[in-house]
Amino acid sequence: MYLELSTSDVIILSSAAACLVAIVLLEMLRVVIPDVYEWVADHAKVKRETREGQAALERLMAVNRENAAQRDRRSAERFRMKSQLARLEMTLSAVERDRVEVWHELGRQGVADSLYTARVANRILADQSGRDFDSAPSIWRYTNNVRIWAAGERPARQMLTAEFSPDSGFAVQELTFVTSARSMDGP
């Protein structure tokens, strides 16, 4: 079977095929165009939300920078005040330590005895009294002096060692001869 097509038939068939293709394309566009519009609208919405989020984030970062600067200023001020308070406390304790003297007495004045003085310190008790103000003996925060009545320097040192033992943390400094009982009586 042989089919002859004339030019006019080809034109009509081509036109019909073009119409069918156009109908299919239009139908596809009818289905796809709302999705494209929706995608474009979502894209615009996402871009707008992104810009708004970026602006909010920049404002938040500016507020955070301001808060961090204020926190740093307060921290520096607190450090400065603590340093100043520590210096004042050290100065106060030094002034108080120098102002107050505690005197201990060892021995009794006899006819042949001499008077000696010595400084006594106990770092352990001084530190403890500084830390635990209520329960530790507070006298060790100050200058502690001892008056010793003894027949000579050696008995005075023995009395000091017996009363203020180095094993207990005491340190004896500056044992000094002051006077003898005979020179105090006069001629």
Side-chain angles (χ1 to χ4, degrees), residues 12-187:
I12 291 173
L13 284 174
S14 296
S15 299
C19 284
L20 281 174
V21 168
I23 290 171
V24 169
L25 280 175
L26 285 174
E27 191 61 29
M28 282 179 54
L29 284 175
R30 184 180 70 81
V31 170
V32 171
I33 285 180
D35 290 339
V36 169
Y37 283 138
E38 187 177 320
W39 178 79
V40 169
D42 281 348
H43 183 69
K45 179 182 172 187
V46 167
K47 283 180 84 174
R48 188 183 75 246
E49 287 176 355
T50 302
R51 279 192 301 269
E52 289 171 358
Q54 190 173 11
L57 183 62
E58 287 173 357
R59 284 191 305 271
L60 181 62
M61 286 177 59
V63 168
N64 283 345
R65 278 192 300 271
E66 183 179 321
N67 287 341
Q70 188 176 25
R71 183 190 65 233
D72 291 345
R73 282 191 302 273
R74 285 181 181 164
S75 178
E77 180 68 17
R78 185 173 36 255
F79 178 76
R80 187 181 66 76
M81 295 298 278
K82 281 185 177 181
S83 298
Q84 191 175 24
L85 179 63
R87 281 193 302 273
L88 286 173
E89 285 175 344
M90 287 186 341
T91 303
L92 177 64
S93 71
V95 166
E96 185 179 70
R97 191 177 324 111
D98 292 342
R99 184 177 56 107
V100 176
E101 286 187 359
V102 178
W103 285 91
H104 305 269
E105 297 282 335
L106 289 179
R108 292 189 170 199
Q109 180 180 1
V111 175
D113 290 341
S114 298
L115 177 63
Y116 294 89
T117 61
R119 285 206 170 182
V120 178
N122 189 320
R123 175 60 57 200
I124 297 167
L125 292 176
D127 290 344
Q128 183 182 6
S129 69
R131 279 191 314 261
D132 192 9
F133 193 79
D134 295 330
S135 67
S138 60
I139 64 168
W140 297 107
R141 278 185 260 149
Y142 309 111
T143 303
N144 282 264
N145 297 312
V146 183
R147 283 189 192 101
I148 308 134
W149 288 99
E153 185 176 337
R154 184 177 213 151
R157 286 191 186 278
Q158 289 173 348
M159 290 171 73
L160 270 172
T161 304
E163 188 69 29
F164 301 101
S165 170
D167 295 337
S168 300
F170 291 99
V172 177
Q173 308 158 350
E174 305 174 17
L175 181 65
T176 308
F177 172 78
V178 176
T179 185
S180 67
R182 281 177 261 155
S183 66
M184 288 176 43
D185 292 337

